[in-house]
């Protein structure tokens, strides 16, 4: 992995605009973004999630990121991270795969943008918990704090949300350059 690439993770509960934001940021910064592997994986799943599915999504997300990082232009924008696998596994199965836990500390991102739940819910066949957004937002805070992650909450709608994300990244980049 190229140590000169800044990795920005766009994370948060369901229906907070992560994919839209990742696409926007990649275009804004003239780089590429890593899509959420689980979305494509689950679109082809015609049954309930299993433990093995969580592991498959974990390995798939890691592989996709490693494959795309050489094409990044200084920044790599990641539409979620495998922390999502931990959160979903904990929720659905009461525990996380050891493989995921082992990788958390060894696979950091430079900055996490935690997208706020201030957007209206949008139905999608792959979204499951419209009534648990506050619950999952609290979990995201807890998980990022447990990693001692550098993260910013991004709120607002439309262009304001985009501007707030760009502002958070630009501020982080300026601060990193001054170190």
């Amino acid at each position: 992995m190229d140590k000169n690439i800044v990795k920005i993770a766009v994370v948060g509960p369901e229906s907070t605009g992560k994919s839209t934001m990742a696409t926007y940021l990649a275009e804004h910064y003239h780089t590429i973004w890593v899509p959420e592997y689980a979305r494509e994986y689950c679109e082809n799943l015609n049954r309930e999630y299993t433990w093995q599915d969580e592991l498959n999504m974990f390995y798939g997300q890691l592989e996709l990121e490693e494959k795309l990082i050489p094409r990044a232009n200084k920044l790599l924008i990641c539409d979620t991270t495998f922390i999502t696998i931990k959160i979903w596994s904990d929720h659905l199965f009461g525990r996380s795969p050891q493989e995921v836990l082992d990788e958390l500390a060894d696979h950091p991102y430079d900055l996490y943008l935690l997208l706020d739940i201030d957007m209206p819910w949008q139905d999608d066949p792959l979204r499951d918990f419209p009534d648990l957004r506050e619950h999952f937002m609290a979990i995201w805070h807890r998980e990022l704090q447990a990693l001692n992650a550098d993260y910013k909450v991004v709120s607002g709608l439309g262009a304001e949300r985009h501007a707030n994300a760009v502002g958070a990244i630009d501020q982080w980049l300026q601060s990193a350059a001054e170190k």
Side-chain angles (χ1 to χ4, degrees):
M1 178 171 45
D2 187 341
K3 299 291 184 199
N4 296 319
I5 299 294
V6 173
K7 292 171 52 179
I8 309 290
V10 180
V11 299
E14 295 178 301
S15 193
T16 54
K18 294 178 295 293
S19 297
T20 300
M21 181 64 77
T23 304
Y24 172 82
L25 292 172
E27 186 175 300
H28 179 84
Y29 289 103
H30 308 288
T31 192
I32 62 165
W33 63 285
V34 179
E36 179 183 15
Y37 181 82
R39 178 162 278 282
E40 180 181 331
Y41 184 93
C42 291
E43 282 175 352
N44 300 313
L45 202 62
N46 296 322
R47 56 180 167 67
E48 291 291 314
Y49 301 122
T50 66
W51 185 257
Q52 186 60 52
D53 291 322
E54 295 297 331
L55 286 170
N56 294 347
M57 289 183 280
F58 163 70
Y59 287 116
Q61 190 70 41
L62 283 178
E63 182 180 323
L64 185 57
E65 188 175 306
E66 289 300 317
K67 178 179 155 186
L68 293 175
I69 201 165
R71 296 177 39 206
N73 179 22
K74 297 180 184 148
L75 295 178
L76 181 70
I77 308 296
C78 300
D79 176 1
T80 204
T81 71
F82 68 84
I83 298 172
T84 303
I85 303 301
K86 180 186 184 315
I87 291 171
W88 281 110
S89 294
D90 287 348
H91 183 78
L92 295 171
F93 303 110
R95 64 189 177 96
S96 296
Q98 191 60 48
E99 295 91 325
V100 173
L101 298 175
D102 291 345
E103 283 290 325
L104 283 173
D106 295 335
H107 204 83
Y109 295 81
D110 296 291
L111 176 65
Y112 294 80
L113 300 179
L114 175 56
L115 301 190
D116 204 351
I117 56 174
D118 56 345
M119 290 181 63
W121 176 268
Q122 292 199 0
D123 281 326
D124 179 314
L126 297 178
R127 294 182 181 145
D128 298 313
F129 301 107
D131 300 329
L132 293 178
R133 292 173 90 197
E134 288 181 16
H135 167 76
F136 284 111
M137 188 68 171
I139 289 173
W140 271 105
H141 278 287
R142 210 169 41 244
E143 292 294 337
L144 292 172
Q145 290 165 0
L147 290 172
N148 199 25
D150 193 352
Y151 77 98
K152 303 289 183 223
V153 175
V154 176
S155 302
L157 300 176
E160 177 188 13
R161 194 177 196 85
H162 292 154
N164 290 341
V166 167
I169 292 171
D170 287 350
Q171 182 181 11
W172 186 90
L173 290 170
Q174 179 67 33
S175 176
E178 293 171 356
K179 289 182 182 176

